[in-house]
Amino acid sequence: MAHDQKEQAPTQVEYQSLVGCLPRIVWMGVGNIGLVVAVLAVYESTTGWTIADLLFWGVVGVLIGTRYVDIVRYQGLTADGQPATMAHFRRYAIVLLATAVALWAATRALGPGFP
């Protein structure tokens, strides 16, 4: 009995190096956890401007910078696994900045540091 089905060619899978995966891990996970920790530190601060505020905005800057490096240097992907473009970067940066400003302002308004 002849085998009429065509043999499927093996698909090639391209793996990134660990270094190439780190930016994605940062902007999708670890950095966001850092942002939550920073906002909690801002909320707990009992005086005006503190190191917690600098930490919060530093994390925002690191997230934006990491996303940029991910796209430009490591051919980053979207959260859905599609190739990311500079349009994705701009949208990410704008949404993150808008969210960070609102989150920081709300945290400062509700926290004990600004009556």
Side-chain angles (χ1 to χ4, degrees):
M1 188 178 237
H3 200 278
D4 291 341
Q5 293 180 347
K6 294 180 182 178
E7 287 189 37
Q8 293 180 348
T11 57
Q12 292 192 1
V13 178
E14 185 176 324
Y15 294 101
Q16 288 185 336
S17 69
L18 178 60
V19 173
C21 293
L22 286 177
R24 186 170 177 160
I25 291 168
V26 169
W27 77 263
M28 288 185 77
V30 176
N32 293 318
I33 293 168
L35 198 58
V36 169
V37 170
V39 82
L40 291 173
V42 168
Y43 180 78
E44 293 295 323
S45 55
T46 56
T47 60
W49 297 91
T50 65
I51 217 75
D53 297 296
L54 293 175
L55 174 68
F56 177 84
W57 291 110
V59 170
V60 170
V62 166
L63 284 169
I64 291 172
T66 303
R67 183 62 175 137
Y68 179 81
V69 168
D70 181 39
I71 292 172
V72 172
R73 175 76 167 92
Y74 297 106
Q75 295 76 43
L77 303 173
T78 64
D80 298 330
Q82 301 300 315
T85 64
M86 289 309 290
H88 289 108
F89 168 74
R90 284 188 293 277
R91 185 172 48 240
Y92 174 80
I94 289 168
V95 169
L96 178 61
L97 283 173
T99 303
V101 166
L103 182 61
W104 181 83
T107 302
R108 274 301 185 191
L110 297 173
F114 286 95

